Amino acid sequence: MPMTNFLFASESVAEGHPDKVADQISDSILDAIIKEDPSGRVACECMVTTGLAFIAGEITTECYVDIPGIARETIKEIGYNDSSMGFDWETCAVITSIDQQSPDIAMGVNKGEEQGAGDQGLMVGYACNETPEFMPMPIIFAHNLTKRLAYVRKAHILDFLRPDGKSQVTIQYIDGKPVRVDSIVIAAQHTPDVEYDVLQEGIIEEVIKEVIPEALRDENTNYYVNTTGRFVIGGPLCDCGMTGRKIIVDTYGGQGSHGGGAFSGKDPSKVDRSGSYMARHVAKNVVAADLADKCEIQIAYTIGKAESVSFMLDTKGTGKIPPDDLAKIVLEIFDFRPARIIQYLDLLRPIYKKTACYGHFGRNEPEFTWEKLNRVDDLRKAAGI
């Protein structure tokens, strides 16, 4: 039997975290290409370290984009604009090593309506009814904390903050339901001159208390702010960052499963991205239709073939109808072929930079079409509810 009383933690990272810098550069390059050439094929990887952004990958396109300029502008927008940080948009070197997509891959992918999957692999989507976003509570709060860190920094509310940072939220579950926040961890990069007491008070008052509802905090909630006492050296000066290294932050914070594939820098012909978005869309609509309290979808592909090679639906014992019946309904309503996913979710648009921070799921901006609840009525009708 699964545990019903437990603590569960999820983390998020700020937009200035080295791995997220890399993700944003990769997705900014993808957006620039897909804006000019929606049929382009992009697999763009980035590594950032002290004074250097190295961009590599396989890109096939008929358009030209200024990759170094895009990288520098992205770094500038994040907030690395001072050489004293050891990494800034004006002085960092930008090196590129770009090749074309393998013709062996293109042969199986470029087939119009019956285009095959861009690779083999398994993709997972998850949803639950813990929050209005149909996401697990720990990851939603963790993302909201890092969003707030960026806001108070850029709005000069806490003008001693720098771009790097992390959050972590631990939720207490009783009888499988989230009931209170047990602990909150914030690591926030800062200028050398700020006193720790000032930083701690500012983070608690302007970040934590503005994000975490008072009803979920109590006298036993623990606050951990910069627990080494100092976080001046950060960003790519402190750690090497790479595209695709924060896959749990990008998805469900450790709840549900993960197929293992990263999203950023990949055009939607790569089912790592489009398949995962579709799986989330289906799972969310199932839960929103009140057919289950939790839903996990797994789909798998082989390269060059349009039809998935497997499909699994798991309601973790919370389904309102038998899971085999629910799976049959889902397969009747939704089409998991890559070309149909791309068309259905309108994925050939420059929408991806926004996904690179604060999670790909649980957001209601118009670009996030996979979050739409447009099939709830269809599911309920098919289920006879």
Side-chain angles (χ1 to χ4, degrees):
M1 293 289 292
M3 292 178 62
T4 57
N5 300 326
F6 54 90
L7 299 176
F8 194 95
S10 296
E11 72 162 349
S12 178
V13 296
E15 59 193 59
H17 185 283
D19 293 331
K20 279 293 147 201
V21 174
D23 282 343
Q24 289 169 91
I25 291 172
S26 292
D27 273 337
S28 294
I29 293 167
L30 169 62
D31 277 354
I33 292 171
I34 211 169
K35 181 179 180 181
E36 301 297 327
D37 180 14
S39 64
R41 295 287 183 255
V42 181
C44 182
E45 310 290 340
C46 181
M47 181 189 75
V48 293
T49 186
T50 306
L52 172 65
F54 190 100
I55 299 158
E58 295 76 45
I59 298 176
T60 301
T61 180
E62 297 180 357
C63 73
Y64 169 79
V65 298
D66 178 12
I67 289 178
I70 293 167
R72 293 186 190 281
E73 185 62 28
T74 303
I75 294 164
K76 180 182 179 182
E77 290 175 3
I78 292 168
Y80 285 111
N81 49 28
D82 185 340
S83 60
S84 68
M85 297 186 202
F87 185 82
D88 73 284
W89 70 279
E90 289 185 294
T91 66
C92 75
V94 180
I95 299 174
T96 63
S97 178
I98 303 296
D99 210 336
Q100 292 193 345
Q101 182 187 59
S102 164
D104 295 341
I105 295 175
M107 181 172 61
V109 175
N110 299 336
K111 293 182 179 179
E113 281 298 310
E114 289 305 312
Q115 76 177 59
D119 201 353
Q120 71 176 53
L122 55 130
M123 295 83 220
V124 178
Y126 180 76
C128 62
N129 60 5
E130 290 180 14
T131 63
E133 298 87 355
F134 296 95
M135 289 284 285
M137 186 178 289
I139 191 65
I140 285 292
F141 283 160
H143 283 322
N144 288 343
L145 287 169
T146 50
K147 284 182 192 176
R148 182 68 182 177
L149 275 177
Y151 173 77
V152 298
R153 170 172 61 89
K154 293 179 177 181
H156 304 290
I157 296 170
L158 300 179
D159 57 6
F160 49 77
L161 292 181
R162 285 179 169 178
D164 199 358
K166 287 185 174 184
S167 69
Q168 184 172 284
V169 177
T170 301
I171 300 293
Q172 182 180 9
Y173 286 75
I174 296 177
D175 294 329
K177 302 293 184 182
V179 297
R180 59 179 289 275
V181 176
D182 186 74
S183 67
I184 301 160
V185 179
I186 298 286
Q189 187 188 15
H190 57 84
T191 57
D193 54 346
V194 65
E195 296 291 334
Y196 176 76
D197 290 346
V198 173
L199 179 140
Q200 183 185 47
E201 181 182 6
I203 293 293
I204 291 174
E205 295 299 323
E206 296 293 342
V207 178
I208 293 174
K209 290 186 177 179
E210 291 293 322
V211 168
I212 307 298
E214 186 176 1
L216 292 174
R217 293 182 277 115
D218 57 34
E219 65 276 7
N220 295 317
T221 299
N222 296 299
Y223 304 128
Y224 301 103
V225 178
N226 285 21
T227 46
T228 67
R230 181 178 171 87
F231 185 7
V232 173
I233 301 172
L237 174 63
C238 178
D239 289 306
C240 178
M242 300 185 73
T243 300
R245 204 156 55 181
K246 286 289 177 285
I247 59 175
I248 299 303
V249 171
D250 284 344
T251 52
Y252 308 103
Q255 293 199 33
S257 303
H258 196 291
F263 304 152
S264 288
K266 298 176 181 177
D267 75 80
S269 73
K270 280 72 173 172
V271 284
D272 278 341
R273 181 164 226 156
S274 54
S276 297
Y277 288 1
M278 188 65 173
R280 160 64 180 175
H281 175 68
V282 174
K284 182 178 181 181
N285 274 266
V286 166
V287 175
D290 198 30
L291 299 180
D293 296 337
K294 299 178 181 180
C295 183
E296 182 173 294
I297 303 286
Q298 186 206 74
I299 48 179
Y301 296 91
T302 185
I303 189 167
K305 301 296 183 182
E307 297 288 348
S308 61
V309 299
S310 74
F311 175 86
M312 184 274 293
L313 182 150
D314 183 6
T315 61
K316 313 293 182 182
T318 68
K320 309 302 170 62
I321 64 174
D324 289 348
D325 294 345
L326 182 53
K328 183 179 179 181
I329 289 168
V330 164
L331 289 172
E332 289 173 349
I333 292 175
F334 297 96
D335 192 331
F336 292 95
R337 289 175 291 175
R340 299 302 176 90
I341 292 173
I342 291 167
Q343 181 183 43
Y344 174 68
L345 296 179
D346 195 12
L347 297 180
L348 292 177
R349 297 176 295 143
I351 58 174
Y352 296 105
K353 181 185 177 185
K354 186 179 281 191
T355 69
C357 287
Y358 315 122
H360 293 245
F361 308 123
R363 299 168 62 177
N364 293 319
E365 293 98 321
E367 297 89 345
F368 291 66
T369 52
W370 48 94
E371 294 295 314
K372 288 183 177 180
L373 296 175
N374 57 321
R375 307 309 292 272
V376 168
D377 290 343
D378 295 337
L379 286 164
R380 291 180 62 85
K381 181 178 178 180
I385 295 177

